Amino acid sequence: MDPLQFAYQPSIGVDDAVIYLLHTSLTHLEKAGSTVRIMFLDFFSAFNTIQPRLLGEKLQVAGVDHHLTTWILDYLTQRPQFVRVKGTESDRLLCNTGVPQGTVLAPFLFTLYTTDFSHSTSSCHLQKFSDDSAAVGLITDGDDTEYRELIQDFVDWSLWNNLQINARKTKELVVDFRSAGTFLRTFYDSVVGSAIFYGIVCWSSSITDRDRKRMDRLVRRTSSVLGCPLDSVEVVGNGRMMAKLSSMFNNMSHPLQDTLTALGSSFSERLLHPRCAKERYRRSFLPAAEERRGEERRGEERRGEERRGEDPVVTEACQVIMFLDPGSLGL
């Protein structure tokens, strides 16, 4: 039996598998320049794809009695199967692959079927729990050659033994505390930040100052833990609000496209601010986004005028006079 198969062993279970994995990984990570890579491998319908002929050969190599091996093969081959629904039976089909699930013998036979592939060195090992396997590479100074060879050997062995690896459920975990800051930032963006800012385009303009300050305190605390600056609730809200407004403009089939078109100005690319009788409407998405867009446009115009050496106040005054009385400027 594979000593690193933690299933179906007396007084050994899944907690022992986790303890062994953590012990080997954390012990290795005590060293400088060390990382750990773990590939969690999963099979498609593992019990249903066992080949009795291959199993018989493995049992003989393991020294199992010939008569017992023959009895097991007779049990696994030519098994009639059919479906019965309300007294109606389907045609019978003889099955010659796999082991009957739900039986005591099935997991034990699968363990014997996979016991001929094992790997355990000081820098790499393969541990199993029933049909789940984990290839663990204890990497030093970036040398993952043995780890890659182990995974390739496991894939080749699986093909030879008619076991198909489920790529969707096969995942790799990389533990590298040298780049902990990057991992923490990724965790923040994907888990913490996504929870804090969920649907922010809908509520950022209407949130109270008190609640905004409370959320900003949480963001600042997170920033101190990560050791890098994070955008405030207002900055994130404004950025996503403008992105959403731009997306709505570009989507001609958007339900609010007619509303946006009606707000268009005939004198410039600016949008007219909708009339708001109530504060709750003024602080909703569309009026707040329009106002924010106007502020950004005016800011861009001021900066452009400053770069050209013009006085933005005088320029704006001239624009107002031209609009009211073009003849006053001799036009």
Side-chain angles (χ1 to χ4, degrees):
M1 295 291 289
D2 185 354
L4 294 183
Q5 169 63 267
F6 289 87
Y8 321 122
Q9 303 281 0
S11 302
I12 295 179
V14 65
D15 50 349
D16 297 279
V18 174
I19 290 172
Y20 185 82
L21 177 60
L22 289 175
H23 174 72
T24 54
S25 300
L26 296 177
T27 301
H28 176 69
L29 290 170
E30 292 286 295
K31 307 171 186 177
S34 61
T35 59
V36 175
R37 295 178 64 176
I38 308 171
M39 184 73 74
F40 296 95
L41 299 142
D42 184 80
F43 293 119
F44 277 112
S45 300
F47 287 9
N48 292 330
T49 54
I50 288 180
Q51 298 295 306
R53 178 185 59 80
L54 291 176
L55 177 61
E57 295 174 358
K58 294 172 186 284
L59 293 176
Q60 290 181 2
V61 173
V64 177
D65 180 76
H66 172 71
H67 298 287
L68 179 58
T69 300
T70 303
W71 179 83
I72 292 174
L73 294 181
D74 181 71
Y75 168 68
L76 296 179
T77 55
Q78 299 295 304
R79 302 192 314 274
Q81 293 185 348
F82 64 93
V83 177
R84 178 187 294 125
V85 179
K86 295 183 179 181
T88 303
E89 294 184 358
S90 67
D91 296 334
R92 294 176 180 260
L93 178 69
L94 296 180
C95 184
N96 291 296
T97 60
V99 294
Q101 296 196 38
T103 63
V104 176
L105 194 59
F108 179 70
L109 290 178
F110 184 82
T111 301
L112 294 175
Y113 192 75
T114 58
T115 195
D116 61 331
F117 187 92
S118 61
H119 187 95
S120 180
T121 66
S122 59
S123 59
C124 213
H125 73 267
L126 180 79
Q127 62 180 84
K128 310 169 187 172
F129 191 88
S130 187
D131 58 332
D132 296 316
S133 304
V136 182
L138 309 178
I139 313 300
T140 302
D141 296 329
D143 185 6
D144 59 356
T145 304
E146 184 181 359
Y147 171 73
R148 290 177 176 273
E149 290 176 350
L150 170 60
I151 294 176
Q152 186 59 57
D153 290 344
F154 185 84
V155 171
D156 294 340
W157 172 86
S158 300
L159 293 174
W160 279 105
N161 288 270
N162 203 50
L163 294 172
Q164 185 178 358
I165 294 177
N166 188 343
R168 287 189 175 183
K169 291 186 177 180
T170 295
K171 306 294 182 182
E172 184 181 36
L173 172 66
V174 179
V175 184
D176 185 357
F177 290 108
R178 298 174 301 174
S179 54
T182 303
F183 282 110
L184 289 175
R185 179 58 191 265
T186 302
F187 177 79
Y188 169 79
D189 291 336
S190 59
V191 179
V192 181
S194 62
I196 295 176
F197 301 125
Y198 179 77
I200 192 171
V201 294
C202 302
W203 54 259
S204 64
S205 58
S206 59
I207 189 175
T208 63
D209 290 339
R210 180 186 176 189
D211 288 338
R212 189 187 303 277
K213 290 177 181 178
R214 292 173 61 187
M215 295 185 70
D216 279 336
R217 282 199 298 269
L218 175 61
V219 173
R220 287 194 298 270
R221 290 177 184 175
T222 306
S223 177
S224 64
V225 173
L226 297 178
C228 63
L230 297 173
D231 292 332
S232 65
V233 174
E234 182 178 7
V235 171
V236 175
N238 289 339
R240 297 190 184 181
M241 187 186 299
M242 291 299 97
K244 173 57 69 175
L245 185 62
S246 176
S247 173
M248 293 167 65
F249 264 115
N250 296 329
N251 185 359
M252 301 306 297
S253 62
H254 195 280
L256 286 175
Q257 184 61 228
D258 292 341
T259 303
L260 295 172
T261 302
L263 292 174
S265 172
S266 58
F267 299 101
S268 66
E269 295 181 357
R270 296 180 181 177
L271 293 177
L272 301 176
H273 194 280
R275 294 182 179 181
C276 306
K278 302 292 184 181
E279 181 69 7
R280 58 175 174 267
Y281 177 47
R282 187 185 71 80
R283 295 171 61 129
S284 65
F285 170 76
L286 197 54
E290 302 284 11
E291 183 177 356
R292 179 62 186 172
R293 187 171 185 264
E295 292 175 355
E296 289 187 353
R297 285 293 178 90
R298 288 191 292 272
E300 292 174 359
E301 291 173 359
R302 291 193 190 97
R303 289 189 292 271
E305 292 163 357
E306 290 171 356
R307 286 194 296 269
R308 292 192 299 269
E310 301 174 355
D311 188 333
V313 176
V314 174
T315 302
E316 187 170 352
C318 291
Q319 290 175 346
V320 173
I321 294 173
M322 285 180 63
F323 176 72
L324 296 176
D325 184 11
S328 63
L329 294 178
L331 301 175

